[in-house]
Amino acid sequence: MAPLIEALHEAQVLALRQISENLAAQTKRLEGLTSKVDDVRERLARLEAQEAGKLVETLRGELRSALTRIDVLEAQRDRVAGVATFSTWIARSGPWFAAGVAAFLAGLGVRAAT
């Protein structure tokens, strides 16, 4: 019976050794997969950062375009405001100006008559 128990014990040790080797091989494979997943994660982060950079550049271009358009619109508004101010001044000052010109001409007419 002792040789049978010894053979059983050796078979158990051999099975445990085989399980241990298989477990070590699986651990190595898992470490390799973990490093690959980390590499993929880093690449994905870089790609997302590049995409974000592209979006930021696109937004900067659109912002520049919008600011240029705002400048043009403000310049146009300033011209319109200037014309409106001049028109208001003419409307207020026109009668006085016309009266001055008429008085000047009347003065020339009086001078010419004498």
Side-chain angles (χ1 to χ4, degrees):
M1 193 64 140
L4 184 61
I5 292 178
E6 230 178 89
L8 184 60
H9 183 59
E10 283 181 30
Q12 286 176 341
V13 168
L14 185 62
L16 285 174
R17 190 174 294 144
Q18 187 64 35
I19 290 172
S20 175
E21 288 172 2
N22 286 341
L23 188 58
Q26 290 296 330
T27 302
K28 281 187 177 183
R29 286 186 194 141
L30 184 59
E31 288 171 355
L33 288 175
T34 302
S35 70
K36 286 180 182 178
V37 167
D38 289 342
D39 183 49
V40 168
R41 187 176 295 139
E42 287 175 19
R43 287 181 184 184
L44 180 61
R46 276 186 259 135
L47 285 173
E48 288 175 347
Q50 286 175 353
E51 280 298 314
K54 289 177 186 176
L55 291 174
V56 167
E57 287 304 314
T58 301
L59 288 175
R60 282 183 181 158
E62 290 177 9
L63 180 61
R64 267 189 239 107
S65 172
L67 289 174
T68 301
R69 187 162 184 244
I70 287 171
D71 290 341
V72 168
L73 290 172
E74 285 178 344
Q76 183 179 4
R77 180 204 59 200
D78 292 344
R79 283 192 302 268
V80 168
V83 168
T85 302
F86 180 72
S87 299
T88 303
W89 179 80
I90 290 291
R92 273 191 265 136
S93 304
W96 290 102
F97 183 70
V101 168
F104 178 74
L105 292 175
L108 285 179
V110 169
R111 228 188 226 179
T114 53

